[in-house]
Amino acid sequence: MRVLVTGSSGRLGRSLSAVLAEKGHEVIGAGRNTVGIPGVREVTCDFTDEQATADLLAAEKPDAIVHLAAIAVPFGAPEREILVTNSVLTHTVLAAAADAGVDRVLCSTSPTPVGYSSPDWRPDYLPIDEAHPLRPAHAYGLSKIVMEEAAAMFARTTDMAVGCFRPCYVIAPEEWAGAPTQQGHTVLERLEDPALAAVSLFNYVDARDVGDFVDLWLTAPKDAVTGEVFFVGADDALAYKPIAEIWREYAPHMGEGADALTEGLAAFSNDKARELIGWRPTYTWRSALAEAGVAIEEVPA
Ligand SMILES: NC(=O)c1ccc[n+]([C@@H]2O[C@H](COP(=O)([O-])OP(=O)(O)OC[C@H]3O[C@@H](n4cnc5c(N)ncnc54)[C@H](O)[C@@H]3O)[C@@H](O)[C@H]2O)c1
């Protein structure tokens, strides 16, 4: 399949594009800059520019688009700019894809619409799944809801298969090996100070596992994925101890439902992705660190 990845030069895009190329897709990486991704042809485009986006799709004729380009971090820009930019980017890509006759578009949103970054937030239940109510606490989370509603609208009103996935905190191979993760700390720092990962409910996912999810989504029957939203997270929590043992100290807002998160269970369910398209994450944080050659000296939380 000829797949165009927007935002391919980013933290997730580099690994995801390389995985899709390894799986035999013809991958065109498109974004504001190029970074040299193995097996991927890279081009530049500003996806807020309607004409440039239309011209790129007319020239490249992709079968599918994986849309990652965004302001990708809460409070990474002024609130209004995040809301406007992420909404406009998504609508521009979806509208151009529909005009160009693209078959499928998969958009990367986020678990943040659920709202766990607000101090007043309480989950309705744990583990959290795709049916959990949305209560965003910032413009980034709100922008991801706009993106999901835009995807649903194009799924209803065009012949394209359109859907979304909500990746948990993405960790790329170089980050397992010691490079700083999105929030600036290393994986070991997040493990050694549970307060760092508690704000995101200890969620994470390996970037290569996200690549596997995207490959399965692209090749699944269209009616199994169109209009759907999927959490894409690891089976386990990014913590030395089970959440059930540490939530009272580090994430009291999770409430007593977190007592069920024993034996390393994650706060976000990935059951829907398994049931609808057969995806399972292959990495745990322990196996990914071991593969990266990083010794784990478990310290009491
Ligand atoms: N990294 C995570 O932990 C995480 C978690 C949940 C959701 N997400 C979402 O996944 C996607 C990718 O995240 P990331 O961590 O790789 O982000 P990133 O910031 O590393 O990469 C974003 C990419 O988008 C590009 N981009 C931004 N505006 C653009 C424009 N106008 N035209 C063309 N390209 C543009 C950037 O140049 C960059 O290459 C984003 O939508 C993000 O919100 C990421």
Side-chain angles (χ1 to χ4, degrees), residues 197-229:
V199 282
S200 55
L201 311 185
F202 309 97
N203 78 45
Y204 80 101
V205 65
D206 182 279
R208 295 159 293 187
D209 279 336
V210 181
D212 288 346
F213 167 85
V214 170
D215 174 55
L216 286 168
W217 189 96
L218 291 171
T219 50
K222 281 172 91 164
D223 59 4
V225 294
T226 194
E228 299 291 342
V229 173

Side-chain angles (χ1 to χ4, degrees), residues 6-13 30-33 45-48 67-73 85-86 89 108-111 140 144 147 165-171 182:
T6 78
S8 54
S9 63
R11 190 175 287 278
L12 173 57
R32 285 192 300 216
N33 58 331
C45 182
D46 179 349
F47 289 105
T48 60
H67 174 49
L68 308 180
I71 298 174
V73 187
T85 304
N86 289 352
L89 276 168
S108 177
T109 60
S110 164
Y140 175 79
K144 294 296 179 179
M147 291 174 64
F165 69 105
R166 298 173 175 166
C168 290
Y169 193 74
V170 174
I171 304 182
Q182 188 198 55

Side-chain angles (χ1 to χ4, degrees), residues 52-62 96 100:
T53 304
D55 291 347
L56 179 71
L57 298 191
E60 298 293 349
K61 299 183 175 48

Side-chain angles (χ1 to χ4, degrees), residues 182-197:
Q182 188 198 55
Q183 295 297 314
H185 351 88
T186 65
V187 173
L188 287 185
E189 285 166 346
R190 283 176 87 81
L191 285 166
E192 281 158 17
D193 179 1
L196 296 176

Side-chain angles (χ1 to χ4, degrees), residues 1 63-65 102-106 161 217-222 225:
M1 189 180 280
D63 303 305
I65 296 175
V102 174
D103 199 38
R104 297 181 183 227
V105 185
L106 174 60
W217 189 96
L218 291 171
T219 50
K222 281 172 91 164
V225 294

